[in-house]
């Protein structure tokens, strides 16, 4: 607890966090920006705790429970650490942490594109071997019905070739409901393909064809203009229960 209190205090003292690759423990390999995914674009089970000022603090925290560890995702905006484990092989969560069971299995293969997160792979040969079958994904609650939009599924929206669309995104905690996210995206409907809503972060991502973002961009937003997604949203990747994907009826 003293270590966690120190890290939280240090994070408050930092005026900003570094985006992009950071230095982690040499036991880990940087994969890319975004959530860590397996070869089937599936999210791993995780234990999560905020307040880590740097990625190496997150890696040290995850190494306290190395059995079945597959890697970690680090969110630089608030220093939140997600230690990823083989499906159904989570250790007992430390005090104050949260946990979610997902179906990711095997080695970390890739990262979903998200500039606020960094994915690091833990060599699978140094962890315990896979012995358990993946847990079946629990059913999700019925999504909110939204005029002009159709719910696609939980996870990150992609086109027919599994590519991410360009987007503008709100800050975290900007939209408390999916309907407010929908209304915000409809303020710029040209070339709009849909939106993703992160229920944990209360963050909204308005999705557009490649290089077709609104001009000018809304004040206070982040953006990714060169994601190659084009055409209608057809499915999701990642199976993240906290993220909902909606396609826009043009």
């Amino acid at each position: 607890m003293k270590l966690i209190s120190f890290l939280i205090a240090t994070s408050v003292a930092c005026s900003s966090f570094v985006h992009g690759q950071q230095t982690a423990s040499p036991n880990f390999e940087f994969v890319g920006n975004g959530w860590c995914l397996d070869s089937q674009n599936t999210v791993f089970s995780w234990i999560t705790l905020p307040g880590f000022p740097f990625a190496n603090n997150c890696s040290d925290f995850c190494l306290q429970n190395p059995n079945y560890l597959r890697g970690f995702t680090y969110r630089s905006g608030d220093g939140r650490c997600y230690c990823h484990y083989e499906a159904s092989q989570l250790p007992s969560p430390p005090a104050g942490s949260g946990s979610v069971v997902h179906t990711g299995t095997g080695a970390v293969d890739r990262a979903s594109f998200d500039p606020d997160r960094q994915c690091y792979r833990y060599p699978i040969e140094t962890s315990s071997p896979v012995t358990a079958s993946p847990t079946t994904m629990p059913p999700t609650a019925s999504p909110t019905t939204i005029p002009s939009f159709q719910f696609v599924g939980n996870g990150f929206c992609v086109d027919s070739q599994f590519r991410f669309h360009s987007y503008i995104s709100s800050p975290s905690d900007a939209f408390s409901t999916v309907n407010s996210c929908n209304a915000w995206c409809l303020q710029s409907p040209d070339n709009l393909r849909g939106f993703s809503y992160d229920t944990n972060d209360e963050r909204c991502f308005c999705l557009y064809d490649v290089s077709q973002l609104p001009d000018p961009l809304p004040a206070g937003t982040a953006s990714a203009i060169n994601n190659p997604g084009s055409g209608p949203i057809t499915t999701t990747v990642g199976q993240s229960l906290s993220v909902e994907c909606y396609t826009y009826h043009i």
Side-chain angles (χ1 to χ4, degrees):
M1 291 302 295
K2 290 183 179 179
L3 172 62
I4 299 303
S5 298
F6 168 77
L7 293 174
I8 293 173
T10 305
S11 69
V12 172
C14 295
S15 60
S16 63
F17 292 89
V18 178
H19 289 259
Q21 182 178 357
Q22 298 188 29
T23 302
S25 162
N27 295 297
F28 294 87
E29 175 188 2
F30 179 71
V31 177
N33 286 95
W35 287 100
C36 292
L37 305 173
D38 70 6
S39 61
Q40 302 300 312
N41 291 316
T42 305
V43 175
F44 291 85
S45 299
W46 73 58
I47 288 174
T48 182
L49 196 69
F52 294 90
F54 301 106
N56 63 319
N57 304 124
C58 177
S59 63
D60 291 344
F61 171 66
C62 295
L63 283 173
Q64 294 177 16
N65 292 287
N67 290 339
Y68 299 100
L69 180 65
R70 297 300 182 234
F72 70 89
T73 296
Y74 176 70
R75 188 170 69 197
S76 53
D78 60 359
R80 181 171 285 275
C81 179
Y82 299 82
C83 306
H84 295 301
Y85 292 88
E86 186 72 20
S88 75
Q89 297 295 328
L90 284 176
S92 297
S97 65
S99 64
V100 176
V101 175
H102 287 300
T103 57
T105 186
V108 171
D109 184 72
R110 66 198 69 178
S112 69
F113 182 81
D114 184 338
D116 289 341
R117 292 177 170 87
Q118 300 95 48
C119 168
Y120 294 82
R121 178 191 298 118
Y122 187 53
I124 198 167
E125 61 269 17
T126 67
S127 183
S128 299
V130 178
T131 58
S133 300
T135 302
T136 302
M137 180 67 77
T140 59
S142 298
T144 304
T145 300
I146 302 175
S148 302
F149 293 89
Q150 179 181 353
F151 181 70
V152 177
N154 287 93
F156 302 95
C157 298
V158 291
D159 68 8
S160 61
Q161 299 185 50
F162 296 94
R163 300 175 302 186
F164 296 100
H165 290 78
S166 298
Y167 65 78
I168 58 173
S169 67
S170 69
S172 297
D173 303 319
F175 296 100
S176 59
T177 67
V178 69
N179 277 314
S180 57
C181 173
N182 137 59
W184 184 60
C185 293
L186 283 176
Q187 294 178 15
S188 302
D190 292 344
N191 302 301
L192 180 66
R193 290 301 182 182
F195 70 89
S196 292
Y197 178 65
D198 190 327
T199 58
N200 282 350
D201 292 349
E202 297 184 345
R203 186 178 181 189
C204 184
F205 297 81
C206 306
L207 309 174
Y208 296 87
D209 281 336
V210 57
S211 302
Q212 298 297 315
L213 296 184
D215 185 17
L217 296 176
T221 61
S223 64
I225 193 171
N226 293 319
N227 285 357
S230 182
I233 292 166
T234 59
T235 188
T236 64
V237 297
Q239 296 184 4
S240 173
L241 294 179
S242 67
V243 178
E244 299 175 356
C245 169
Y246 293 83
T247 185
Y248 182 47
H249 295 298
I250 299 175

